[in-house]
Amino acid sequence: MARYGMVIDMRTCVGCQACMVSCSAENQTPFWSDKFRTHVEDKERGIFPDVHRVLLPRLCMHCENTPCLSACPTGATYKTEDGVVLVNNDRCIGCYACCIACPYDARYPYESDDVEHAEKLYGGLATHKVPHVDKCSFCDHRIAQHREPACVSTCPTHTRIFGDLDDPASEVHKFATSGKATALNAGLGTAPKVFYIPS
Amino acid sequence: MEKKITRRQFFKVAGVLGGISLLRPIWSSEKEAQSTQQAAVNGAVLWIPSICNFCSSFCNIVVATQESNGVKRLIKIEGNPESPLNRGKICARGQAGLHQTYDPDRLKQPLIRVKGSKRGEWNFRAATWDEAYAYIVEKLMKVQPWEIAMVGGWTACVSYMHFSLPFIRTLQIPNIIASPLQHCVTAGHLGTDLVTGNFNVHDEILADFEHARYILFSLNNASVAAISTARAVRFGEAKKNGAKVVCLDPRMGELASKADEWLPIQPGTDQAFFLAMIHTLLREKLYDETFVAKHTNAPFLAWRDDKGPVHLAGDKSTNGKPLSCLVYDQISRNNVAVPAYTNTNEFSQTRERLLPALNAPAGLVWNGHSVKTVFDFFIEESAPFTPEWAGAITKISAETIRRIAIEFGQARPALVDPGWMGARYHHLIGQRRMQAIIQTLVGGIDKPGGWLMSGEYHHKAEQLWEHARNGTTPENMPPVELPGMGFASALLDLFGNPAAWEHGKPAFSFAWAMEQQKHGKPSVFIPAMADVGLLEAVKGELNFNDEPYHIKAFLMNAANPIRHYFPAKRWEEILSHKNVELVVAIDVLPSDTTLFADVILPNHTYLERNEPLLYPLGPSTDLGYTTRLRAIEPLYNTRDTSDMLCEIIDRMGRLEPFLDGVAEYAGLDKVMLLEEIQAAKRAGKPLNEAFLKTAYAAMGAFAGRVTGNEMSGNEVEEVVRKKGMLMLKDAASVLKDSNMPGKIPVPTTSGRLELYSPILASFTEAAGVQPIFNPVLGYVPRVVSDKAEQPALNANEFYFTYGKVPVVSHASTNSNNPVLAAVTRPKLDSFMGLWMNRRKAAVLGLTNGQRVMVKNLRYGGAVEATLFTTEMIRPDTVFLPSAYGTHHNRLHIASGKGSALNELMPYSIEPIAASFMSQEFTVSVSPV
Amino acid sequence: MTFVHQDVWHWQIAAYLFLGGLGGSTFAISAILHLFEECDKKTLSIAVLSSLGFLALGTIFLLADMLQPMKAMYALTNPNSWIFWGVIFINFYFLAAIVYLIPLLEMWPNLLPVIKKIPANILELLEKFNRLAALVGSAAGFLIAIYTGLLISAAPAISFWNTPALPLLFVISGFSTGAAYLLWLTSFSSNAMSDQVMDKLEQLDAALIVSELVVLGAYFNFAFFLPTGARESAEFLFHSPVFIVGFFIAGLLIPLAIESYGIFFTKNSKKSLSLIKTASILVLIGGFLLRLYVLKAGLYQYPW
Ligand SMILES: Nc1nc2c(c(=O)[nH]1)N[C@H]1C(S)=C(S)[C@@H](COP(=O)(O)OP(=O)(O)OC[C@H]3O[C@@H](n4cnc5c(=O)[nH]c(N)nc54)[C@H](O)[C@@H]3O)O[C@H]1N2
Ligand SMILES: Nc1nc2c(c(=O)[nH]1)N[C@H]1C(S)=C(S)[C@@H](COP(=O)(O)OP(=O)(O)OC[C@H]3O[C@@H](n4cnc5c(=O)[nH]c(N)nc54)[C@H](O)[C@@H]3O)O[C@H]1N2
Ligand code: SF4
Ligand code: SF4
Ligand code: SF4
Ligand code: SF4
Ligand code: SF4
Ligand SMILES: [Mo]
């Protein structure tokens, strides 16, 4: 049993958005409706010349205390034994309770228009066949093949680091326990498994 | 250099790419995966290695395809983890590449302009390939060879240079206009090349960020962080390793946002900053004395003549080439001649050991001239360039400049990025030369944490050095085989030399330059592959040696001059001129330029094609070769570029000599190539694969020469198919065996790193003493106004800057990509808008999102833009993202988005290489 | 830190929340009136029937807003989810309300033939459990009203919602709309008892509005306390004229004024029915606007 997690090293993110495009291709997210499983925030802070430009990649935090899961009446949202929070597309009724509950804007609806569009675009290879609420899956299908998540594997600057937080030999463990890593909105008690190294 | 075990080795895709994990995989394999993804009910996923074509970074990729209902589809692109260049990573554009192939706007069959319609309007009819070729060849046969010009973008240049050069030589066409020169690498690289001797059209320097402790950037953004993946991967590691990053940029781009210190310098003044750095490094003695004395021309003795210029001491041959140079030897306390061409000053011409002095003793005399070392002249000429002087110009405080210089000099290894796109100010070559001088002073050339030369470049330099040592001349080496400046001069010998052509006419650009010179008018020294004189030649106004020199036909491949040449109007006038009888455009999408074509030849997209040759791994320090392999069969009635060129030249009756030329340039076996081509023709197959097959065989032989292990063509192909590349030598061995200038000369005239520039000296000789040609240190201020006294800015007047955003390339058609458009939408303001300081905008009563008119106050010209107000830019500067402004409504996504940079640009060039001076004006911004 | 308006739940869900509160409370008030006071059975049966209608309509709004309404039964899977409990409450309510309603319908001669078709023993059972059904239905109605608030308060990043004050507010407002609706309904009754009932309802509604004002005060006070999303939300509401005029003034203060006037200054006989009707309708509109604007004011507080 693993405890998968990610560290995002904000010292290096250059906002290239390769992660978004890679995830979109890998997981067939509806880019045509501007919906993505991961985003890169680009915010300016301060006044010239004391300005900072904060580039903050974000995705589902795979919270250990999981508000979306509690809110989901159908059990469509579930957690694997490796702590990955997933949606069972076939069971999801699309009530959006999870979207309201998620404090990290990690979910979006894969609507019937999107399903249709995907079918046109990907033909028999389309992977989203029914409308549902979608979110980052930590690319569980890639994990199963021993491949890094799509966003991680393409990130040019090594900003995204993925692995088993419990494995002391893993890079992600080292970064997560380095003392520099923090969680977003830790006060909410969601216990995210995505950590940030501030720039 | 120590080989780092990088993370990619942890994660090699087992089975798929044939890698074996070096460390235990972080995931236990027994566990059954609960997958949200639908199981592959369709065909198995197949990965094919290839090369990205979305920008000139040339990243190695692997392309996944899968079959569904009998149709093979592209499903994913990833970085090739085998690649030492991009290390398994690719940027957003690289990831989005699939959508180019599936773009409904694509060019799907040959098109011929409908009779009676005008260039500039979209009025085409579908044609067969035969019709299209017949049309083209008929027109080509009607004009003189010199009346034809080829126009190529970087795709044409990188992949088909070995075709276009033999093509023009065979047909006696002396004209190539290459787009990434005038507005990119000529100015971008020539300056550093004057010191290091590089220059192979593309960049051969890889800055080794990850081993540097201090990194200084000036005028960089897309070249590193926004984004060239090979550089971004190294930059990311540098940040993790704790390197200090300083960034000079008037606005906070992606790269500047990652800097430890962002210095919002006033645009166009970086040269002053660097001069002050040199001033400080020299005075604080923060240079690598041993390296500078041993491997540069700093210890060479030189003298100043009465008119001002500094000359090197030493004997010269009758044609002006130096036979020897002199140093002051601290052992014998004498002036001693050192070899004119070698990598080190440790030995005299007679092989005695020397200790050359960096500072000459007072009163030293040679041939009646009082001489000093080049280094002494640097100290002398840098005296006025104090940090205080630079502070006033750059608007960065003198203390900061001094502190940065000292920090830089004390931190080893320290690195100043060589820079990439340069065509902005007429002094840019000089500015980049300062960067190379600083890098040389701290000894950071071909050393970890410094500037590394590419593997292929080392190889070429080694070959040349072998020739030099054997006393043979490399005359029979094709120019593309020559490293650096050798290549540059071979090109000059071709394009600038009337005698190189049967008809006695050089390229129109050189013809124009020579005529200008003859008539005492402003001219250009090396207008290689530039568009100077083109408009005149089209209009019938250019004469060469009293004979008219006209241009009447254009063959354009992967070029979009209507959008990325400066200015747009000039190219609109050229291409639509009545004297022009033929315009051919080879492209994949209906770019704004295709509007002006008579015939459009649709190319396969890069994922649908093999390339005909093997190519070095970009600027990678490892020696390896790669190519593009077809991932899916072409979807439409499109063709390969090599096939198009072959067909045209075949119909002109010159196929065989052309093939001989290709074989010579690309080092292929002539007999084999001819046989393969004939076999392909008999079988009615495309010729492209015949080239590739021959290239595999040639590579097998080449591998034998490099590694001692000869391979068959099939073996090479197998490795390339499996790994995407054939690696012949790793970076560590390259740097060890052929270190430049540690072991072998750099390809400058002297083989040393040239602090003193003989090339600039020759310009001085030709054009007289001017700071821009000063072979020691010249300061050339930016000129934004025609008034002698540069006036202060008016209230709504700004310095103009522009640059690239991470998700599109130049003015390329990849702005038509739907995913790239989607990831742009949340950032429309900063990615497409005109950046203006927020408080400054408030003073002008302008607000974010407002439409404004940007007017060029020096040259005229204007463009509309949407305002992006931000604190991330100097109040006296505006910045325009440079990639947008497509007009053609057949590009359904890109059309009408953003502002066309080149509608604001003047035609304004600098005197060395005709590079564009694209920021030397100011603009006014007012509401529309 | 960024505040972003939630863009998930719109007027359909506002309608669902409103109708849930209205339906639940209408049943609870009328059943309790029936149990402990004298009242007009006919009006009562209409009240109960309409409470069923409100909840059915509300459920349709909810289902219509879903991506896969046909799979709604799956919602009975996770007891940690408020929607799960919502479904349970609504089902209990429907069951109890129907049990309670059928015997009441005997008041309507036209319906007698239909009712007679129900086997006698079943009818007997229904009569027997009538009081129990009233109690269970009232409890379920109350729970539905409070559930509408709990549902949206389970949003950790929407601090304006993530407070126990919200279910309280919704339940009070829900009962106020229920009382107002019954007031309006009763005003049509010519029955002798109706004046008395109206008095009671008027007092009840006025009391509820006063409590709502108290809770609102506390709620906004809390919201303004910290520079969080809640403050932004409160500020958003203060700057929404429809909320201020439509809900606060027209939906609370004016009905309260009318009702107070009725309670303190007029005798039964002199009461103006049209004023009462106006007050009731204003309360109902206000109740819907409250939910709509609370949804609109839902601001996620994101950490970037
Ligand atoms: N406005 C503006 N102009 C610029 C720049 C800028 O940023 N903005 N940047 C400058 C710089 S740095 C450079 S290097 C140059 C680069 O200029 P170019 O080297 O010309 O590069 P692109 O603009 O990317 O592409 C030119 C054309 O190639 C086509 N093309 C793409 N793929 C293929 C293919 O596979 N086959 C064929 N046949 N055609 C293809 C595209 O559709 C497009 O029409 O532009 C310079 N000019
Ligand atoms: N996304 C993307 N990446 C690319 C390419 C692409 O088209 N798109 N093309 C590739 C190619 S061919 C090239 S040439 C490179 C180009 O890459 P770079 O050479 O890095 O050029 P830009 O990113 O256009 O501009 C760099 C920065 O210079 C700043 N600047 C402008 N004027 C001045 C000045 O006077 N002084 C200083 N210090 N800074 C100034 C601008 O604000 C901008 O942030 O990018 C490569 N990578
Ligand atoms: S790919 Fe990496 S560097 Fe690029 S935006 Fe995403 S996280 Fe940042
Ligand atoms: S981030 Fe949101 S979607 Fe992801 S586990 Fe946490 S609450 Fe659920
Ligand atoms: S939308 Fe789907 S996943 Fe979300 S709570 Fe409802 S049923 Fe669960
Ligand atoms: S882990 Fe996979 S699903 Fe999640 S954001 Fe990254 S690529 Fe997308
Ligand atoms: S940097 Fe990006 S666009 Fe350029 S070659 Fe590499 S992956 Fe392709
Ligand atoms: Mo470039």
Side-chain angles (χ1 to χ4, degrees), chain A residues 59-63 66-69 85 101-104 106-107 135:
Chain A
L59 66 166
C60 167
M61 303 283 145
H62 294 272
C63 307
T66 326
C68 61
L69 191 148
V85 178
C102 172
Y104 302 101
R107 293 172 166 255
K135 67 178 282 295

Side-chain angles (χ1 to χ4, degrees), chain A residues 12-83:
Chain A
T12 58
C13 175
V14 291
C16 70
Q17 296 175 302
C19 44
M20 292 176 73
V21 181
S22 182
C23 174
S24 177
E26 180 76 34
N27 299 299
Q28 298 184 0
T29 67
F31 62 83
W32 50 87
S33 321
D34 294 346
K35 295 172 190 169
F36 292 88
R37 287 183 177 187
T38 183
H39 301 256
V40 184
E41 295 299 328
D42 188 346
K43 297 268 145 80
E44 65 172 280
R45 303 268 183 257
I47 285 182
F48 180 88
D50 296 315
V51 211
H52 295 281
R53 185 171 179 183
V54 182
L55 292 159
L56 183 144
R58 60 181 178 85
L59 66 166
C60 167
M61 303 283 145
H62 294 272
C63 307
E64 227 139 350
N65 304 326
T66 326
C68 61
L69 191 148
S70 313
C72 175
T74 62
T77 293
Y78 66 103
K79 209 188 276 183
T80 70
E81 55 176 11
D82 297 322

Side-chain angles (χ1 to χ4, degrees), chain B residues 53 154 179 557-558 563-564 587 603 609 804 810 812-813 882:
Chain B
N53 197 50
W154 71 265
S179 85
N557 182 19
R563 280 283 69 83
H564 61 222
D587 210 309
N603 197 187
R609 68 178 187 244
K804 298 182 188 337
H810 329 117
S812 160
T813 49
S882 64

Side-chain angles (χ1 to χ4, degrees), chain B residues 82-123:
Chain B
E82 299 282 345
S83 171
L85 183 66
N86 52 304
R87 299 181 183 168
K89 312 297 189 178
I90 47 172
C91 76
R93 293 166 294 154
Q95 285 285 355
L98 311 169
H99 295 279
Q100 187 188 61
T101 299
Y102 295 119
D103 191 334
D105 294 342
R106 267 183 69 177
L107 299 168
K108 300 169 184 166
Q109 76 258 31
L111 299 170
I112 295 182
R113 172 166 299 289
V114 170
K115 265 210 183 82
S117 68
K118 280 202 249 100
R119 296 200 193 105
E121 55 187 45
W122 187 260
N123 202 348

